[in-house]
């Protein structure tokens, strides 16, 4: 599932591709992917330029000149592609938004969605989300205090969107590896030094993953060489059996809080 680095990479790259371009047409092949009838979706978007693209947690927000917005959550298996009809990948497209000869294809939205929202609707939708990892008010001390109050495992805390917004299965494991802490640890068991190390790892790793384009396996547009660049840099996620880059021991796959998890059980503690 795309997480903060993937969605932030999309946000940054899409700005140069569709920003301030009016929507010329739309096409919906799966009505469940949107929250209004297709004809209304078309009327709401046609002629409207996208004036800004924001991100909140794992969502992208396409702000329209009308004041309304499109909220995208790709969920599991969803991707975006931007290109001409000739460039379109050989994948099933649930929603297409046209910007002249350029199209924005929403692919794999079997669980994901692209919803029209008002400003008030956005506020209600995101009310339950926790702070962003780079929120200036989320200091190391505030992070440690929030963490100490959590039950369950470190893995379950990091992927809980009401605790910290934007982290999922992949980066929770990568963050724990970077901090040399097992994802199965109880949050309250962390020492102040470990909590501070985890906080630093969270910020540095997410920034690095974003800078390298996240781990998505499909380019965003023809000639895109950034998207997916972090996949080869992952050190534990989906690396079962490979030698740990720190100590050489094999990476282990297990289940933590009912989620698959990868770790080095030798140098993570």
């Amino acid at each position: 599932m795309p997480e903060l680095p993937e969605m932030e990479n999309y946000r940054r790259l899409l700005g140069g591709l569709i920003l301030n371009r009016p929507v010329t047409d739309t096409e919906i092949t799966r009505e469940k992917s949107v929250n209004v009838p297709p004809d209304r979706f078309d009327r709401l978007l046609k002629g409207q330029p996208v004036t800004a693209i924001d991100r909140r947690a794992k969502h992208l927000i396409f702000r329209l000149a009308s004041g309304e917005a499109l909220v995208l959550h790709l969920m599991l298996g969803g991707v975006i592609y931007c290109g001409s009809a000739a460039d379109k990948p050989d994948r099933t497209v649930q929603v297409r938004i046209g910007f002249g000869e350029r199209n924005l294809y929403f692919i794999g939205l079997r669980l994901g969605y692209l919803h029209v929202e008002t400003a008030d609707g956005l506020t209600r939708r995101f009310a339950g989300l926790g702070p962003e990892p780079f929120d200036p008010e989320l200091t190391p001390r505030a992070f440690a205090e929030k963490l100490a109050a959590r039950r369950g495992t470190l893995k379950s805390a990091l992927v809980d969107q009401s605790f910290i917004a934007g982290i999922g299965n992949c980066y929770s494991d990568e963050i724990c590896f970077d901090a040399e802490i097992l994802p199965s640890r109880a949050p309250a068991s962390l020492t102040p030094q470990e909590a501070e190390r985890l906080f630093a790892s969270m910020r540095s790793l997410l920034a690095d993953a974003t800078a390298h384009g996240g781990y998505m396996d499909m380019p965003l547009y023809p000639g895109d060489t950034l998207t997916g660049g972090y996949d080869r840099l992952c050190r534990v996620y989906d690396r079962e059996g490979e030698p740990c880059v720190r100590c050489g021991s094999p990476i282990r796959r297990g289940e933590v809080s009912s989620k698959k998890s990868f770790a080095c059980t030798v140098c993570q503690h």
Side-chain angles (χ1 to χ4, degrees), residues 31-219:
E31 293 189 25
K32 289 183 179 180
S33 297
V34 297
N35 62 336
V36 296
D39 58 342
R40 186 179 175 209
F41 186 90
D42 189 71
R43 288 197 306 272
L44 288 170
L45 268 66
K46 193 173 290 184
Q48 292 290 325
V50 175
T51 58
I53 306 173
D54 298 325
R55 181 195 55 77
R56 180 70 170 105
K58 302 176 187 179
H59 305 81
L60 278 191
I61 307 161
F62 300 88
R63 299 190 184 274
L64 305 174
S66 63
E68 292 179 304
L70 294 176
V71 180
L72 172 70
H73 198 317
L74 290 173
M75 300 292 284
L76 187 64
V79 294
I80 307 173
Y81 188 79
C82 190
S84 69
D87 298 328
K88 186 182 83 66
D90 187 19
R91 301 275 298 274
T92 302
V93 175
Q94 283 73 44
V95 181
R96 180 187 62 81
I97 300 177
F99 298 86
E101 293 184 359
R102 183 172 289 165
N103 296 284
L104 193 55
Y105 298 101
F106 299 89
I107 298 167
L109 293 186
R110 295 299 178 187
L111 298 174
Y113 55 81
L114 184 65
H115 285 181
V116 179
E117 283 286 10
T118 62
D120 288 343
L122 287 176
T123 300
R124 290 191 296 270
R125 184 181 289 270
F126 298 140
L129 291 176
E132 292 282 326
F134 297 99
D135 188 330
E137 295 185 7
L138 185 66
T139 62
R141 181 175 180 178
F143 176 79
E145 289 174 352
K146 283 171 62 69
L147 198 61
R150 297 287 307 192
R151 296 183 178 181
T153 65
L154 195 52
K155 174 86 170 183
S156 64
L158 289 174
V159 302
D160 184 345
Q161 300 304 290
S162 67
F163 174 63
I164 298 289
I167 300 171
N169 265 349
C170 174
Y171 294 108
S172 59
D173 285 349
E174 293 293 319
I175 289 166
C176 287
F177 177 80
D178 192 73
E180 300 181 34
I181 302 169
L182 285 169
S184 56
R185 285 275 297 276
S189 74
L190 268 62
T191 66
Q193 293 78 18
E194 287 176 322
E196 185 172 351
R197 197 164 71 233
L198 187 73
F199 178 83
S201 290
M202 175 184 72
R203 285 196 164 175
S204 64
L205 192 135
L206 291 176
D208 190 42
T210 301
H212 284 88
Y215 64 73
M216 300 298 286
D217 62 356
M218 190 174 82

